[in-house]
Amino acid sequence: MLEIKKLKKIFNRGGINQVTAIHSLSAFIRNGDFVTVIGSNGAGKSTLLNLIAGTYLPDSGELLLAGENATRWPEHRRAAYVGRVFQNPLLGTCATMSVEENFALASRRGLRPGFRWGVTNSQRELFREKLKLLGLGLEYRLKDKVGLLSGGQRQSLTLLMATLRRPRLLLLDEHTAALDPKTAEQVLNLTRELIQEMGLTALMVTHNMKHALELGNRLIMMHQGRVILDVDGPTKAHLTIQDLLNEFSKLKGQDLTDDKMLLI
Amino acid sequence: MSLYILVGAVEQGLVYALMVLGVYLTFRVLDFPDLTVDGSLPLGAAVSGALIVRGMDPFLSLLLAMCAGAAAGCVTALLATRLRIMSLLASIITMTALYSINIRIMGRPNLTLLNQPTVLDALSFIGLPRYLLTPLIFLGIIIGCKVLLDLFLHTQLGTALRATGDNPQMIRSQGVNTDMMVILGVSLSNALVALAGGLVAQSQGFADVGMGIGTIVAGLASVILGESLVGAQTVFRQTLNAICGSLLYRLTIAVALSYRVGFLRLTPSDLNLITAVLVVICLTVPLLRTRLVMWKRAQGD
């Protein structure tokens, strides 16, 4: 589904603050893989996701989406393949527009907008049904501005919107990090259900090792722009938090005390 | 204030409301501060005027004036999106270039249209006196444009346009090319402004290269005045408020110009100063209101 070949991304090239965020990274994500990605701050997880989505273009390397060379595609072109949920709950929806208008935009992800009516009655029915799944009562608030909703509600909406039109690849960038624990759990359960039911291929970045172990069939650990661990299947299923910590300290060879990665 | 002045202010409020709709589209919908309007208003007047003088049908001349306005907006949007020039600066560049272009189009800095056919003459068969006919025609045009704009903003394209102003990251990840949306929106906005320019020239009987000075501030003042009216939740209300804001603004100006304040008598050349002061007042009222509330609370404690 997604093939990454020797991808490299350097920020502030030539400046004092030059940082190589991704070092010649190669990976192959199979169809149906649900990959959780962990790593400390600055490991390059978000950069990787932004490179896949096209927010950044790489300095070198190739990126193949569903067999097509998408390395130079702009963000809006890749959207035909990629559904996305951001860490910031405000980033995935338009605050000044209604719930149904946001949904209607998402229902045409990757399609050229035309002169037809923005929201149709048949769409409204569909949106209502989808929103019922959330159990937040949003099916009665189709006309409400999204800005009136809470962060958790908006993030749930974004997740539904990203999967409204089946994405070939779903990118989740720490999408529960900015939510309170209870809401985060709800959004995570919704994530699990949607990916399972629709059989989606997904990449989920998380700081939470427990979540990284519980969800998905494959786990990738990143450090300083490189993949330092890539396990799947039964190996992944038997992995424990202690294993991850050992792996991490072994490869890093540094103390972990000041690291956010220890958030469990 | 005489009836004559009142009707004149209403007439101006209606015709400039087209320009205010354009400013609303860039400033509020697209979140793209666009000063091109100071150049595209006289551009519309120049194109329409120059074509009428050369014998073109006044209606057709307005259509071409809109095309010229759209082209000017397109240039600003291209400078901003493709060449990554800050939107404000890009629009100032286009505005400056338009000054020369407008003189080129007219062949001289101003053009009289007296004794030339205009859209108002073409519709004079209705039989109403001119001072009533003109505002009525402008009312018809502005209602037509408002309805069309409302409809457009609810199409797939229109919702994508609104989303571009609200949250570009979101709409890009839904597969919409935001650069194209900016180009579309700014072009549409300037087409409306140029239409206003053409109509102003035809109703006043002249086009002048300097007639655009202060347009953006007047437009912004109207948009802000309109927003101070109740309920700006739906697109329908927002465009209606923009039109009401334009009327309110022109009436305020007319009142300000018709009274003597002590030894001071304001003249039309004071218009831009009054407008600037009006905008500052409108923008600071919310701040002053919260300050006042805080002060009252402090007094109560």
Coordinates of all heavy atoms in Angstrom, one line a residue, chain A residues 42-80:
Chain A
G42 N 11.1 14.4 18.9 CA 12.2 14.6 17.9 C 12.7 13.4 17.2 O 13.6 13.4 16.4
A43 N 11.9 12.3 17.3 CA 12.3 11.0 16.7 C 12.0 11.1 15.2 O 12.5 10.3 14.4 CB 11.6 9.8 17.3
G44 N 11.1 12.0 14.8 CA 10.7 12.1 13.4 C 9.4 11.5 13.1 O 9.0 11.3 11.9
K45 N 8.6 11.1 14.1 CA 7.3 10.5 13.8 C 6.3 11.4 13.1 O 5.8 11.0 12.1 CB 6.6 10.1 15.2 CG 7.5 9.3 16.1 CD 6.8 9.0 17.4 CE 6.3 10.2 18.2 NZ 7.4 11.0 18.9
S46 N 6.2 12.6 13.6 CA 5.2 13.5 13.0 C 5.8 13.9 11.6 O 5.0 14.1 10.7 CB 5.0 14.8 13.8 OG 4.3 14.4 15.0
T47 N 7.1 14.1 11.5 CA 7.7 14.5 10.2 C 7.4 13.4 9.2 O 7.0 13.7 8.0 CB 9.2 14.7 10.3 OG1 9.4 15.6 11.4 CG2 9.8 15.2 9.1
L48 N 7.5 12.2 9.6 CA 7.2 11.0 8.7 C 5.8 11.1 8.2 O 5.5 11.0 7.0 CB 7.5 9.7 9.4 CG 7.2 8.5 8.6 CD1 8.2 8.4 7.4 CD2 7.3 7.2 9.4
L49 N 4.9 11.3 9.1 CA 3.4 11.4 8.7 C 3.2 12.6 7.8 O 2.5 12.5 6.8 CB 2.6 11.5 10.0 CG 1.7 10.3 10.2 CD1 2.5 9.1 10.4 CD2 0.8 10.5 11.4
N50 N 3.8 13.7 8.1 CA 3.7 14.9 7.2 C 4.3 14.6 5.8 O 3.8 15.2 4.9 CB 4.3 16.1 7.9 CG 3.4 16.7 8.9 OD1 2.2 16.8 8.8 ND2 4.0 17.2 10.0
L51 N 5.4 13.8 5.8 CA 6.0 13.5 4.5 C 5.0 12.6 3.7 O 4.9 12.8 2.5 CB 7.3 12.8 4.7 CG 8.5 13.7 5.0 CD1 9.7 12.9 5.5 CD2 8.9 14.6 3.9
I52 N 4.4 11.7 4.4 CA 3.4 10.8 3.7 C 2.2 11.5 3.2 O 1.8 11.3 2.1 CB 3.0 9.6 4.7 CG1 4.2 8.8 5.0 CG2 1.9 8.8 4.0 CD1 3.9 7.8 6.1
A53 N 1.7 12.5 4.0 CA 0.5 13.2 3.6 C 0.9 14.3 2.6 O 0.0 14.9 2.0 CB -0.1 13.9 4.9
G54 N 2.1 14.7 2.5 CA 2.5 15.7 1.5 C 2.6 17.1 2.1 O 2.8 18.1 1.3
T55 N 2.4 17.3 3.4 CA 2.6 18.6 4.0 C 4.0 19.1 3.8 O 4.3 20.2 3.5 CB 2.3 18.5 5.5 OG1 1.1 17.8 5.7 CG2 2.1 19.9 6.1
Y56 N 5.0 18.1 3.9 CA 6.4 18.4 3.6 C 6.7 17.6 2.4 O 6.2 16.5 2.2 CB 7.3 18.0 4.7 CG 7.1 18.6 6.0 CD1 7.3 17.9 7.2 CD2 6.6 19.9 6.2 CE1 7.1 18.4 8.5 CE2 6.4 20.5 7.4 CZ 6.6 19.7 8.6 OH 6.4 20.2 9.8
L57 N 7.7 18.1 1.5 CA 8.2 17.3 0.5 C 9.6 16.8 0.9 O 10.3 17.6 1.6 CB 8.3 18.0 -0.8 CG 6.9 18.4 -1.5 CD1 7.1 19.2 -2.7 CD2 6.1 17.1 -1.8
P58 N 10.0 15.6 0.6 CA 11.3 15.1 1.0 C 12.5 15.7 0.3 O 12.3 16.2 -0.8 CB 11.2 13.6 0.7 CG 10.3 13.5 -0.4 CD 9.3 14.6 -0.2
D59 N 13.7 15.7 0.9 CA 14.9 16.1 0.2 C 15.4 15.1 -0.8 O 15.9 15.4 -1.8 CB 16.0 16.4 1.2 CG 15.6 17.7 2.0 OD1 15.9 18.8 1.5 OD2 15.0 17.6 3.1
S60 N 15.2 13.8 -0.4 CA 15.5 12.7 -1.4 C 14.8 11.5 -1.0 O 14.1 11.5 0.0 CB 17.1 12.5 -1.4 OG 17.4 12.0 -0.1
G61 N 14.8 10.5 -1.9 CA 14.0 9.3 -1.6 C 12.7 9.3 -2.4 O 12.4 10.3 -3.1
E62 N 12.0 8.2 -2.3 CA 10.8 8.0 -3.0 C 9.7 7.6 -2.1 O 9.9 7.0 -1.1 CB 11.0 7.0 -4.1 CG 11.6 7.5 -5.4 CD 11.5 6.5 -6.5 OE1 11.1 5.3 -6.3 OE2 11.8 6.9 -7.7
L63 N 8.5 7.9 -2.5 CA 7.3 7.5 -1.7 C 6.2 7.0 -2.7 O 5.8 7.7 -3.6 CB 6.8 8.7 -1.0 CG 5.9 8.5 0.2 CD1 6.2 9.5 1.3 CD2 4.4 8.6 -0.2
L64 N 5.8 5.7 -2.6 CA 4.9 5.1 -3.5 C 3.5 4.9 -2.7 O 3.5 4.2 -1.7 CB 5.4 3.8 -4.0 CG 6.3 3.9 -5.3 CD1 7.6 4.5 -4.9 CD2 6.4 2.6 -5.9
L65 N 2.5 5.4 -3.3 CA 1.2 5.3 -2.7 C 0.4 4.4 -3.6 O 0.2 4.7 -4.8 CB 0.4 6.6 -2.6 CG 0.5 7.4 -1.2 CD1 -0.1 8.7 -1.4 CD2 -0.1 6.6 -0.1
A66 N -0.1 3.2 -3.1 CA -0.8 2.2 -3.9 C -0.1 2.0 -5.3 O -0.8 2.0 -6.3 CB -2.2 2.7 -4.2
G67 N 1.2 1.9 -5.2 CA 1.9 1.6 -6.5 C 2.3 2.8 -7.3 O 3.1 2.6 -8.3
E68 N 1.7 3.9 -7.0 CA 2.0 5.1 -7.8 C 3.1 6.0 -7.1 O 3.1 6.1 -5.9 CB 0.8 6.0 -8.0 CG -0.2 5.4 -9.0 CD -1.3 6.3 -9.3 OE1 -1.1 7.2 -10.2 OE2 -2.4 6.2 -8.7
N69 N 4.0 6.5 -7.9 CA 5.1 7.3 -7.3 C 4.5 8.7 -7.0 O 4.2 9.5 -7.8 CB 6.2 7.5 -8.4 CG 7.4 8.2 -7.7 OD1 7.3 8.9 -6.7 ND2 8.5 8.1 -8.3
A70 N 4.3 8.9 -5.7 CA 3.6 10.1 -5.2 C 4.6 11.1 -4.5 O 4.2 12.0 -3.9 CB 2.6 9.7 -4.1
T71 N 5.9 10.9 -4.8 CA 7.0 11.7 -4.1 C 6.8 13.2 -4.2 O 6.9 13.9 -3.3 CB 8.4 11.3 -4.6 OG1 8.4 9.9 -4.7 CG2 9.5 11.8 -3.7
R72 N 6.4 13.6 -5.4 CA 6.3 15.0 -5.7 C 4.8 15.5 -5.7 O 4.6 16.7 -6.0 CB 6.9 15.4 -7.0 CG 8.4 15.2 -7.0 CD 9.1 16.4 -6.3 NE 10.2 15.9 -5.5 CZ 10.8 16.6 -4.6 NH1 10.4 17.8 -4.3 NH2 11.7 16.1 -3.8
W73 N 3.9 14.7 -5.3 CA 2.5 15.1 -5.3 C 2.2 16.1 -4.3 O 2.7 15.9 -3.1 CB 1.5 13.9 -5.1 CG 1.4 12.9 -6.2 CD1 2.1 12.9 -7.4 CD2 0.5 11.8 -6.3 NE1 1.7 11.9 -8.2 CE2 0.7 11.2 -7.5 CE3 -0.4 11.3 -5.4 CZ2 0.0 10.1 -7.9 CZ3 -1.1 10.2 -5.7 CH2 -0.9 9.6 -7.0
P74 N 1.5 17.2 -4.6 CA 1.1 18.1 -3.5 C 0.1 17.4 -2.5 O -0.6 16.4 -2.9 CB 0.5 19.3 -4.2 CG 0.0 18.7 -5.5 CD 0.9 17.6 -5.9
E75 N 0.0 18.1 -1.4 CA -0.9 17.5 -0.3 C -2.3 17.2 -0.8 O -2.9 16.2 -0.5 CB -1.0 18.6 0.8 CG -1.3 18.1 2.1 CD -1.2 19.2 3.2 OE1 -0.8 20.3 2.8 OE2 -1.4 18.9 4.3
H76 N -2.9 18.2 -1.6 CA -4.3 18.0 -1.9 C -4.5 16.8 -2.9 O -5.6 16.2 -2.9 CB -4.9 19.3 -2.5 CG -4.3 19.8 -3.7 ND1 -4.6 19.4 -5.0 CD2 -3.2 20.6 -3.9 CE1 -3.9 20.0 -5.9 NE2 -3.0 20.7 -5.3
R77 N -3.5 16.5 -3.6 CA -3.6 15.3 -4.6 C -3.5 14.0 -3.8 O -4.2 13.0 -4.1 CB -2.5 15.4 -5.6 CG -2.7 14.3 -6.7 CD -1.9 14.6 -7.9 NE -1.9 13.5 -8.8 CZ -1.0 13.2 -9.7 NH1 0.0 14.1 -9.8 NH2 -1.1 12.2 -10.5
R78 N -2.7 14.0 -2.8 CA -2.6 12.7 -2.0 C -3.8 12.5 -1.2 O -4.1 11.4 -0.7 CB -1.4 12.9 -1.0 CG -0.1 13.0 -1.8 CD 1.1 12.8 -0.9 NE 2.3 13.4 -1.5 CZ 3.5 13.3 -1.0 NH1 3.7 12.6 0.1 NH2 4.5 13.9 -1.6
A79 N -4.6 13.5 -0.9 CA -5.8 13.4 -0.1 C -6.8 12.4 -0.7 O -7.6 11.8 0.0 CB -6.5 14.7 0.1
A80 N -6.7 12.1 -2.0 CA -7.5 11.1 -2.6 C -7.3 9.8 -2.0 O -8.1 8.9 -2.0 CB -7.3 11.1 -4.1

